[in-house]
Amino acid sequence: MMNRRNLIQTAACAAATAWMGLPQTALAADEAPDALVKRLSVDVLETLRADKSIKAGDMNKIVALVDKTILPHVNFRRMTAAAVGPAWRRATPEQQQRLQDEFKILLVRTYSGALSQVTDQTISVKPLRAAPEDKDVLVRTEIHGRGDPIQLDYRLEKTPGEGAGWRIYNLNVLGVWLVETYRTQFAQQINAKGVDGLIEALVERNKANAAAANVTSAR
């Protein structure tokens, strides 16, 4: 059975596949969320196959690309609050900002590392079960490659304003929601050492991930 760490890595790899093609222009207000996911999936596969630096594992380039293309279209504040759980409401504004910043770094590094593993996968998007007026939707997809298909479901919210488009705030891999998986990990840190203990743990984890990436790039 896949453990939680491997599940997060699988989620990262699958999410990286779909998110990397995100354009910098504002998304059209009338673009359906499932159409958006399908378009991004095609774009990312083409990008991955064409970019030799990414295929070679250039982590600095991958991180910069993820930061530029993905982050503006993800609701990190909502993701962080959900992952931290009830302790988020008790945290000071400064603590909330630090949690959000460190969680963002953690996810960027995780997805960037997984991105180099994406090779010949294809993605199929299932029919959307939502009404036109819905502001919160579930887009279900499957990643096809070697082995059994990987279930990957996205939760997206419609942002206010004409042309603002949709923003991702959670994803489900093989029946497990990513934010809830992190919430279990974070709760252990919070129960042991409080919010500051969680921040410290995230800082140390991000330093370790950065050091590991630098060693890999130097080889």
PDB file of all heavy atoms in Angstrom, residues 157-190:
ATOM      1  N   GLU A 157     -12.006  26.926  -7.471  1.00  0.00           N
ATOM      2  CA  GLU A 157     -12.988  27.935  -7.120  1.00  0.00           C
ATOM      3  C   GLU A 157     -12.944  29.044  -8.169  1.00  0.00           C
ATOM      4  O   GLU A 157     -11.889  29.381  -8.693  1.00  0.00           O
ATOM      5  CB  GLU A 157     -12.699  28.515  -5.743  1.00  0.00           C
ATOM      6  CG  GLU A 157     -11.354  29.219  -5.640  1.00  0.00           C
ATOM      7  CD  GLU A 157     -11.127  29.853  -4.278  1.00  0.00           C
ATOM      8  OE1 GLU A 157     -12.039  29.764  -3.429  1.00  0.00           O
ATOM      9  OE2 GLU A 157     -10.050  30.434  -4.074  1.00  0.00           O
ATOM     10  N   LYS A 158     -14.120  29.598  -8.453  1.00  0.00           N
ATOM     11  CA  LYS A 158     -14.209  30.705  -9.397  1.00  0.00           C
ATOM     12  C   LYS A 158     -13.870  31.984  -8.656  1.00  0.00           C
ATOM     13  O   LYS A 158     -14.496  32.333  -7.663  1.00  0.00           O
ATOM     14  CB  LYS A 158     -15.610  30.806  -9.985  1.00  0.00           C
ATOM     15  CG  LYS A 158     -15.785  31.925 -11.005  1.00  0.00           C
ATOM     16  CD  LYS A 158     -14.948  31.667 -12.255  1.00  0.00           C
ATOM     17  CE  LYS A 158     -15.289  32.661 -13.355  1.00  0.00           C
ATOM     18  NZ  LYS A 158     -14.926  34.044 -12.990  1.00  0.00           N
ATOM     19  N   THR A 159     -12.860  32.681  -9.120  1.00  0.00           N
ATOM     20  CA  THR A 159     -12.470  33.923  -8.461  1.00  0.00           C
ATOM     21  C   THR A 159     -13.361  35.063  -8.939  1.00  0.00           C
ATOM     22  O   THR A 159     -13.825  35.071 -10.077  1.00  0.00           O
ATOM     23  CB  THR A 159     -10.998  34.252  -8.759  1.00  0.00           C
ATOM     24  OG1 THR A 159     -10.800  34.261 -10.174  1.00  0.00           O
ATOM     25  CG2 THR A 159     -10.092  33.203  -8.156  1.00  0.00           C
ATOM     26  N   PRO A 160     -13.631  36.035  -8.062  1.00  0.00           N
ATOM     27  CA  PRO A 160     -14.521  37.131  -8.443  1.00  0.00           C
ATOM     28  C   PRO A 160     -13.882  38.048  -9.470  1.00  0.00           C
ATOM     29  O   PRO A 160     -12.660  38.196  -9.522  1.00  0.00           O
ATOM     30  CB  PRO A 160     -14.766  37.859  -7.117  1.00  0.00           C
ATOM     31  CG  PRO A 160     -13.557  37.545  -6.290  1.00  0.00           C
ATOM     32  CD  PRO A 160     -13.170  36.145  -6.675  1.00  0.00           C
ATOM     33  N   GLY A 161     -14.710  38.635 -10.293  1.00  0.00           N
ATOM     34  CA  GLY A 161     -14.206  39.580 -11.289  1.00  0.00           C
ATOM     35  C   GLY A 161     -14.205  38.985 -12.687  1.00  0.00           C
ATOM     36  O   GLY A 161     -13.901  37.811 -12.888  1.00  0.00           O
ATOM     37  N   GLU A 162     -14.534  39.765 -13.654  1.00  0.00           N
ATOM     38  CA  GLU A 162     -14.583  39.319 -15.044  1.00  0.00           C
ATOM     39  C   GLU A 162     -13.192  38.916 -15.502  1.00  0.00           C
ATOM     40  O   GLU A 162     -12.233  39.663 -15.371  1.00  0.00           O
ATOM     41  CB  GLU A 162     -15.131  40.439 -15.940  1.00  0.00           C
ATOM     42  CG  GLU A 162     -15.310  40.023 -17.396  1.00  0.00           C
ATOM     43  CD  GLU A 162     -16.468  39.038 -17.561  1.00  0.00           C
ATOM     44  OE1 GLU A 162     -17.293  38.936 -16.626  1.00  0.00           O
ATOM     45  OE2 GLU A 162     -16.542  38.406 -18.622  1.00  0.00           O
ATOM     46  N   GLY A 163     -13.082  37.731 -16.057  1.00  0.00           N
ATOM     47  CA  GLY A 163     -11.814  37.273 -16.600  1.00  0.00           C
ATOM     48  C   GLY A 163     -10.835  36.757 -15.565  1.00  0.00           C
ATOM     49  O   GLY A 163      -9.691  36.444 -15.886  1.00  0.00           O
ATOM     50  N   ALA A 164     -11.275  36.649 -14.315  1.00  0.00           N
ATOM     51  CA  ALA A 164     -10.349  36.217 -13.265  1.00  0.00           C
ATOM     52  C   ALA A 164     -10.077  34.721 -13.321  1.00  0.00           C
ATOM     53  O   ALA A 164      -9.037  34.257 -12.875  1.00  0.00           O
ATOM     54  CB  ALA A 164     -10.904  36.588 -11.888  1.00  0.00           C
ATOM     55  N   GLY A 165     -11.022  33.942 -13.856  1.00  0.00           N
ATOM     56  CA  GLY A 165     -10.806  32.532 -14.047  1.00  0.00           C
ATOM     57  C   GLY A 165     -10.944  31.713 -12.776  1.00  0.00           C
ATOM     58  O   GLY A 165     -11.492  32.159 -11.767  1.00  0.00           O
ATOM     59  N   TRP A 166     -10.404  30.505 -12.830  1.00  0.00           N
ATOM     60  CA  TRP A 166     -10.512  29.544 -11.749  1.00  0.00           C
ATOM     61  C   TRP A 166      -9.171  29.377 -11.045  1.00  0.00           C
ATOM     62  O   TRP A 166      -8.118  29.505 -11.661  1.00  0.00           O
ATOM     63  CB  TRP A 166     -10.969  28.192 -12.300  1.00  0.00           C
ATOM     64  CG  TRP A 166     -12.349  28.219 -12.870  1.00  0.00           C
ATOM     65  CD1 TRP A 166     -12.716  28.605 -14.130  1.00  0.00           C
ATOM     66  CD2 TRP A 166     -13.548  27.851 -12.191  1.00  0.00           C
ATOM     67  NE1 TRP A 166     -14.067  28.508 -14.275  1.00  0.00           N
ATOM     68  CE2 TRP A 166     -14.617  28.037 -13.111  1.00  0.00           C
ATOM     69  CE3 TRP A 166     -13.825  27.374 -10.914  1.00  0.00           C
ATOM     70  CZ2 TRP A 166     -15.937  27.764 -12.769  1.00  0.00           C
ATOM     71  CZ3 TRP A 166     -15.143  27.094 -10.570  1.00  0.00           C
ATOM     72  CH2 TRP A 166     -16.177  27.298 -11.506  1.00  0.00           C
ATOM     73  N   ARG A 167      -9.232  29.069  -9.735  1.00  0.00           N
ATOM     74  CA  ARG A 167      -8.018  28.847  -8.956  1.00  0.00           C
ATOM     75  C   ARG A 167      -8.120  27.504  -8.242  1.00  0.00           C
ATOM     76  O   ARG A 167      -9.157  27.145  -7.695  1.00  0.00           O
ATOM     77  CB  ARG A 167      -7.806  29.964  -7.937  1.00  0.00           C
ATOM     78  CG  ARG A 167      -7.629  31.332  -8.579  1.00  0.00           C
ATOM     79  CD  ARG A 167      -7.462  32.403  -7.521  1.00  0.00           C
ATOM     80  NE  ARG A 167      -6.145  32.364  -6.906  1.00  0.00           N
ATOM     81  CZ  ARG A 167      -5.821  33.040  -5.804  1.00  0.00           C
ATOM     82  NH1 ARG A 167      -6.739  33.772  -5.200  1.00  0.00           N
ATOM     83  NH2 ARG A 167      -4.613  32.978  -5.315  1.00  0.00           N
ATOM     84  N   ILE A 168      -7.018  26.773  -8.243  1.00  0.00           N
ATOM     85  CA  ILE A 168      -6.959  25.457  -7.611  1.00  0.00           C
ATOM     86  C   ILE A 168      -6.666  25.617  -6.128  1.00  0.00           C
ATOM     87  O   ILE A 168      -5.816  26.408  -5.741  1.00  0.00           O
ATOM     88  CB  ILE A 168      -5.859  24.608  -8.283  1.00  0.00           C
ATOM     89  CG1 ILE A 168      -6.179  24.408  -9.768  1.00  0.00           C
ATOM     90  CG2 ILE A 168      -5.682  23.269  -7.582  1.00  0.00           C
ATOM     91  CD1 ILE A 168      -5.024  23.866 -10.575  1.00  0.00           C
ATOM     92  N   TYR A 169      -7.387  24.844  -5.284  1.00  0.00           N
ATOM     93  CA  TYR A 169      -7.112  24.927  -3.853  1.00  0.00           C
ATOM     94  C   TYR A 169      -6.963  23.559  -3.193  1.00  0.00           C
ATOM     95  O   TYR A 169      -6.679  23.474  -1.999  1.00  0.00           O
ATOM     96  CB  TYR A 169      -8.171  25.765  -3.132  1.00  0.00           C
ATOM     97  CG  TYR A 169      -9.555  25.147  -3.081  1.00  0.00           C
ATOM     98  CD1 TYR A 169      -9.912  24.263  -2.051  1.00  0.00           C
ATOM     99  CD2 TYR A 169     -10.510  25.463  -4.040  1.00  0.00           C
ATOM    100  CE1 TYR A 169     -11.182  23.715  -1.991  1.00  0.00           C
ATOM    101  CE2 TYR A 169     -11.778  24.921  -3.983  1.00  0.00           C
ATOM    102  CZ  TYR A 169     -12.108  24.044  -2.961  1.00  0.00           C
ATOM    103  OH  TYR A 169     -13.368  23.492  -2.911  1.00  0.00           O
ATOM    104  N   ASN A 170      -7.123  22.485  -3.952  1.00  0.00           N
ATOM    105  CA  ASN A 170      -6.885  21.155  -3.397  1.00  0.00           C
ATOM    106  C   ASN A 170      -6.890  20.147  -4.535  1.00  0.00           C
ATOM    107  O   ASN A 170      -7.413  20.428  -5.623  1.00  0.00           O
ATOM    108  CB  ASN A 170      -7.961  20.775  -2.374  1.00  0.00           C
ATOM    109  CG  ASN A 170      -7.482  19.736  -1.364  1.00  0.00           C
ATOM    110  OD1 ASN A 170      -6.400  19.167  -1.515  1.00  0.00           O
ATOM    111  ND2 ASN A 170      -8.272  19.500  -0.336  1.00  0.00           N
ATOM    112  N   LEU A 171      -6.286  18.988  -4.302  1.00  0.00           N
ATOM    113  CA  LEU A 171      -6.334  17.923  -5.280  1.00  0.00           C
ATOM    114  C   LEU A 171      -6.341  16.572  -4.588  1.00  0.00           C
ATOM    115  O   LEU A 171      -5.854  16.415  -3.474  1.00  0.00           O
ATOM    116  CB  LEU A 171      -5.185  18.024  -6.284  1.00  0.00           C
ATOM    117  CG  LEU A 171      -3.764  17.987  -5.744  1.00  0.00           C
ATOM    118  CD1 LEU A 171      -3.164  16.610  -5.947  1.00  0.00           C
ATOM    119  CD2 LEU A 171      -2.910  19.031  -6.447  1.00  0.00           C
ATOM    120  N   ASN A 172      -6.925  15.621  -5.285  1.00  0.00           N
ATOM    121  CA  ASN A 172      -7.163  14.290  -4.745  1.00  0.00           C
ATOM    122  C   ASN A 172      -6.419  13.273  -5.602  1.00  0.00           C
ATOM    123  O   ASN A 172      -6.639  13.196  -6.804  1.00  0.00           O
ATOM    124  CB  ASN A 172      -8.672  14.012  -4.765  1.00  0.00           C
ATOM    125  CG  ASN A 172      -9.046  12.642  -4.234  1.00  0.00           C
ATOM    126  OD1 ASN A 172      -8.255  11.707  -4.247  1.00  0.00           O
ATOM    127  ND2 ASN A 172     -10.281  12.506  -3.787  1.00  0.00           N
ATOM    128  N   VAL A 173      -5.533  12.501  -4.982  1.00  0.00           N
ATOM    129  CA  VAL A 173      -4.802  11.454  -5.687  1.00  0.00           C
ATOM    130  C   VAL A 173      -5.174  10.108  -5.081  1.00  0.00           C
ATOM    131  O   VAL A 173      -5.004   9.891  -3.875  1.00  0.00           O
ATOM    132  CB  VAL A 173      -3.280  11.657  -5.606  1.00  0.00           C
ATOM    133  CG1 VAL A 173      -2.551  10.539  -6.345  1.00  0.00           C
ATOM    134  CG2 VAL A 173      -2.891  13.005  -6.177  1.00  0.00           C
ATOM    135  N   LEU A 174      -5.717   9.237  -5.918  1.00  0.00           N
ATOM    136  CA  LEU A 174      -6.069   7.882  -5.483  1.00  0.00           C
ATOM    137  C   LEU A 174      -6.966   7.888  -4.253  1.00  0.00           C
ATOM    138  O   LEU A 174      -6.831   7.057  -3.348  1.00  0.00           O
ATOM    139  CB  LEU A 174      -4.800   7.066  -5.207  1.00  0.00           C
ATOM    140  CG  LEU A 174      -3.855   6.883  -6.405  1.00  0.00           C
ATOM    141  CD1 LEU A 174      -2.573   6.190  -5.957  1.00  0.00           C
ATOM    142  CD2 LEU A 174      -4.541   6.080  -7.504  1.00  0.00           C
ATOM    143  N   GLY A 175      -7.884   8.861  -4.208  1.00  0.00           N
ATOM    144  CA  GLY A 175      -8.852   8.895  -3.128  1.00  0.00           C
ATOM    145  C   GLY A 175      -8.416   9.651  -1.889  1.00  0.00           C
ATOM    146  O   GLY A 175      -9.164   9.701  -0.909  1.00  0.00           O
ATOM    147  N   VAL A 176      -7.240  10.245  -1.899  1.00  0.00           N
ATOM    148  CA  VAL A 176      -6.733  10.980  -0.742  1.00  0.00           C
ATOM    149  C   VAL A 176      -6.479  12.428  -1.141  1.00  0.00           C
ATOM    150  O   VAL A 176      -5.750  12.697  -2.099  1.00  0.00           O
ATOM    151  CB  VAL A 176      -5.436  10.345  -0.203  1.00  0.00           C
ATOM    152  CG1 VAL A 176      -4.897  11.149   0.970  1.00  0.00           C
ATOM    153  CG2 VAL A 176      -5.681   8.895   0.220  1.00  0.00           C
ATOM    154  N   TRP A 177      -7.053  13.366  -0.375  1.00  0.00           N
ATOM    155  CA  TRP A 177      -6.878  14.787  -0.656  1.00  0.00           C
ATOM    156  C   TRP A 177      -5.535  15.263  -0.115  1.00  0.00           C
ATOM    157  O   TRP A 177      -5.180  14.980   1.023  1.00  0.00           O
ATOM    158  CB  TRP A 177      -8.013  15.601  -0.050  1.00  0.00           C
ATOM    159  CG  TRP A 177      -9.302  15.410  -0.778  1.00  0.00           C
ATOM    160  CD1 TRP A 177     -10.326  14.593  -0.421  1.00  0.00           C
ATOM    161  CD2 TRP A 177      -9.689  16.022  -2.013  1.00  0.00           C
ATOM    162  NE1 TRP A 177     -11.330  14.655  -1.361  1.00  0.00           N
ATOM    163  CE2 TRP A 177     -10.969  15.523  -2.339  1.00  0.00           C
ATOM    164  CE3 TRP A 177      -9.075  16.941  -2.869  1.00  0.00           C
ATOM    165  CZ2 TRP A 177     -11.646  15.912  -3.493  1.00  0.00           C
ATOM    166  CZ3 TRP A 177      -9.757  17.340  -4.016  1.00  0.00           C
ATOM    167  CH2 TRP A 177     -11.028  16.830  -4.325  1.00  0.00           C
ATOM    168  N   LEU A 178      -4.795  16.000  -0.936  1.00  0.00           N
ATOM    169  CA  LEU A 178      -3.443  16.426  -0.574  1.00  0.00           C
ATOM    170  C   LEU A 178      -3.434  17.307   0.668  1.00  0.00           C
ATOM    171  O   LEU A 178      -2.615  17.120   1.561  1.00  0.00           O
ATOM    172  CB  LEU A 178      -2.813  17.183  -1.755  1.00  0.00           C
ATOM    173  CG  LEU A 178      -1.358  17.600  -1.583  1.00  0.00           C
ATOM    174  CD1 LEU A 178      -0.448  16.381  -1.508  1.00  0.00           C
ATOM    175  CD2 LEU A 178      -0.923  18.514  -2.722  1.00  0.00           C
ATOM    176  N   VAL A 179      -4.348  18.279   0.743  1.00  0.00           N
ATOM    177  CA  VAL A 179      -4.367  19.187   1.883  1.00  0.00           C
ATOM    178  C   VAL A 179      -4.626  18.419   3.175  1.00  0.00           C
ATOM    179  O   VAL A 179      -3.996  18.678   4.208  1.00  0.00           O
ATOM    180  CB  VAL A 179      -5.431  20.285   1.678  1.00  0.00           C
ATOM    181  CG1 VAL A 179      -5.691  21.040   2.980  1.00  0.00           C
ATOM    182  CG2 VAL A 179      -4.971  21.270   0.598  1.00  0.00           C
ATOM    183  N   GLU A 180      -5.537  17.450   3.137  1.00  0.00           N
ATOM    184  CA  GLU A 180      -5.831  16.669   4.329  1.00  0.00           C
ATOM    185  C   GLU A 180      -4.626  15.818   4.747  1.00  0.00           C
ATOM    186  O   GLU A 180      -4.400  15.577   5.942  1.00  0.00           O
ATOM    187  CB  GLU A 180      -7.056  15.788   4.095  1.00  0.00           C
ATOM    188  CG  GLU A 180      -8.384  16.508   4.205  1.00  0.00           C
ATOM    189  CD  GLU A 180      -8.618  17.536   3.096  1.00  0.00           C
ATOM    190  OE1 GLU A 180      -8.010  17.396   2.005  1.00  0.00           O
ATOM    191  OE2 GLU A 180      -9.389  18.485   3.305  1.00  0.00           O
ATOM    192  N   THR A 181      -3.856  15.359   3.763  1.00  0.00           N
ATOM    193  CA  THR A 181      -2.655  14.592   4.078  1.00  0.00           C
ATOM    194  C   THR A 181      -1.645  15.457   4.816  1.00  0.00           C
ATOM    195  O   THR A 181      -1.064  15.035   5.829  1.00  0.00           O
ATOM    196  CB  THR A 181      -2.019  14.038   2.791  1.00  0.00           C
ATOM    197  OG1 THR A 181      -2.949  13.163   2.144  1.00  0.00           O
ATOM    198  CG2 THR A 181      -0.751  13.261   3.095  1.00  0.00           C
ATOM    199  N   TYR A 182      -1.448  16.677   4.354  1.00  0.00           N
ATOM    200  CA  TYR A 182      -0.552  17.601   5.048  1.00  0.00           C
ATOM    201  C   TYR A 182      -1.115  17.982   6.408  1.00  0.00           C
ATOM    202  O   TYR A 182      -0.358  18.202   7.363  1.00  0.00           O
ATOM    203  CB  TYR A 182      -0.319  18.857   4.209  1.00  0.00           C
ATOM    204  CG  TYR A 182       0.783  18.705   3.196  1.00  0.00           C
ATOM    205  CD1 TYR A 182       0.517  18.775   1.834  1.00  0.00           C
ATOM    206  CD2 TYR A 182       2.107  18.506   3.590  1.00  0.00           C
ATOM    207  CE1 TYR A 182       1.538  18.640   0.898  1.00  0.00           C
ATOM    208  CE2 TYR A 182       3.120  18.373   2.667  1.00  0.00           C
ATOM    209  CZ  TYR A 182       2.835  18.435   1.323  1.00  0.00           C
ATOM    210  OH  TYR A 182       3.846  18.302   0.409  1.00  0.00           O
ATOM    211  N   ARG A 183      -2.447  18.085   6.524  1.00  0.00           N
ATOM    212  CA  ARG A 183      -3.045  18.464   7.802  1.00  0.00           C
ATOM    213  C   ARG A 183      -2.679  17.452   8.887  1.00  0.00           C
ATOM    214  O   ARG A 183      -2.402  17.830  10.035  1.00  0.00           O
ATOM    215  CB  ARG A 183      -4.561  18.565   7.679  1.00  0.00           C
ATOM    216  CG  ARG A 183      -5.248  19.014   8.968  1.00  0.00           C
ATOM    217  CD  ARG A 183      -6.760  18.977   8.836  1.00  0.00           C
ATOM    218  NE  ARG A 183      -7.226  19.909   7.831  1.00  0.00           N
ATOM    219  CZ  ARG A 183      -8.467  19.914   7.338  1.00  0.00           C
ATOM    220  NH1 ARG A 183      -9.338  19.022   7.759  1.00  0.00           N
ATOM    221  NH2 ARG A 183      -8.816  20.790   6.427  1.00  0.00           N
ATOM    222  N   THR A 184      -2.650  16.174   8.526  1.00  0.00           N
ATOM    223  CA  THR A 184      -2.272  15.141   9.499  1.00  0.00           C
ATOM    224  C   THR A 184      -0.837  15.342   9.959  1.00  0.00           C
ATOM    225  O   THR A 184      -0.531  15.258  11.160  1.00  0.00           O
ATOM    226  CB  THR A 184      -2.429  13.746   8.879  1.00  0.00           C
ATOM    227  OG1 THR A 184      -3.795  13.542   8.500  1.00  0.00           O
ATOM    228  CG2 THR A 184      -2.023  12.663   9.857  1.00  0.00           C
ATOM    229  N   GLN A 185       0.061  15.627   9.021  1.00  0.00           N
ATOM    230  CA  GLN A 185       1.457  15.870   9.374  1.00  0.00           C
ATOM    231  C   GLN A 185       1.603  17.123  10.229  1.00  0.00           C
ATOM    232  O   GLN A 185       2.317  17.126  11.237  1.00  0.00           O
ATOM    233  CB  GLN A 185       2.303  16.008   8.102  1.00  0.00           C
ATOM    234  CG  GLN A 185       2.348  14.768   7.232  1.00  0.00           C
ATOM    235  CD  GLN A 185       3.196  14.988   5.995  1.00  0.00           C
ATOM    236  OE1 GLN A 185       3.924  15.964   5.901  1.00  0.00           O
ATOM    237  NE2 GLN A 185       3.100  14.085   5.041  1.00  0.00           N
ATOM    238  N   PHE A 186       0.932  18.183   9.826  1.00  0.00           N
ATOM    239  CA  PHE A 186       1.060  19.462  10.528  1.00  0.00           C
ATOM    240  C   PHE A 186       0.476  19.380  11.940  1.00  0.00           C
ATOM    241  O   PHE A 186       0.991  20.013  12.868  1.00  0.00           O
ATOM    242  CB  PHE A 186       0.362  20.564   9.741  1.00  0.00           C
ATOM    243  CG  PHE A 186       1.046  20.928   8.449  1.00  0.00           C
ATOM    244  CD1 PHE A 186       0.483  21.854   7.590  1.00  0.00           C
ATOM    245  CD2 PHE A 186       2.247  20.346   8.079  1.00  0.00           C
ATOM    246  CE1 PHE A 186       1.101  22.205   6.405  1.00  0.00           C
ATOM    247  CE2 PHE A 186       2.874  20.679   6.893  1.00  0.00           C
ATOM    248  CZ  PHE A 186       2.306  21.611   6.055  1.00  0.00           C
ATOM    249  N   ALA A 187      -0.603  18.626  12.098  1.00  0.00           N
ATOM    250  CA  ALA A 187      -1.233  18.510  13.412  1.00  0.00           C
ATOM    251  C   ALA A 187      -0.270  17.899  14.426  1.00  0.00           C
ATOM    252  O   ALA A 187      -0.257  18.291  15.606  1.00  0.00           O
ATOM    253  CB  ALA A 187      -2.503  17.661  13.313  1.00  0.00           C
ATOM    254  N   GLN A 188       0.545  16.955  13.982  1.00  0.00           N
ATOM    255  CA  GLN A 188       1.516  16.341  14.881  1.00  0.00           C
ATOM    256  C   GLN A 188       2.530  17.369  15.365  1.00  0.00           C
ATOM    257  O   GLN A 188       2.884  17.399  16.552  1.00  0.00           O
ATOM    258  CB  GLN A 188       2.218  15.185  14.164  1.00  0.00           C
ATOM    259  CG  GLN A 188       1.292  14.028  13.808  1.00  0.00           C
ATOM    260  CD  GLN A 188       1.971  12.971  12.953  1.00  0.00           C
ATOM    261  OE1 GLN A 188       3.097  13.153  12.490  1.00  0.00           O
ATOM    262  NE2 GLN A 188       1.293  11.869  12.735  1.00  0.00           N
ATOM    263  N   GLN A 189       2.984  18.229  14.460  1.00  0.00           N
ATOM    264  CA  GLN A 189       3.937  19.269  14.833  1.00  0.00           C
ATOM    265  C   GLN A 189       3.295  20.296  15.759  1.00  0.00           C
ATOM    266  O   GLN A 189       3.900  20.732  16.747  1.00  0.00           O
ATOM    267  CB  GLN A 189       4.472  19.962  13.574  1.00  0.00           C
ATOM    268  CG  GLN A 189       5.326  19.081  12.681  1.00  0.00           C
ATOM    269  CD  GLN A 189       6.675  18.766  13.290  1.00  0.00           C
ATOM    270  OE1 GLN A 189       7.131  19.461  14.195  1.00  0.00           O
ATOM    271  NE2 GLN A 189       7.319  17.713  12.814  1.00  0.00           N
ATOM    272  N   ILE A 190       2.064  20.689  15.447  1.00  0.00           N
ATOM    273  CA  ILE A 190       1.371  21.695  16.254  1.00  0.00           C
ATOM    274  C   ILE A 190       1.095  21.158  17.653  1.00  0.00           C
ATOM    275  O   ILE A 190       1.277  21.865  18.653  1.00  0.00           O
ATOM    276  CB  ILE A 190       0.064  22.126  15.562  1.00  0.00           C
ATOM    277  CG1 ILE A 190       0.377  22.882  14.259  1.00  0.00           C
ATOM    278  CG2 ILE A 190      -0.777  23.001  16.487  1.00  0.00           C
ATOM    279  CD1 ILE A 190      -0.837  23.141  13.395  1.00  0.00           C
TER     280      ILE A 190
END
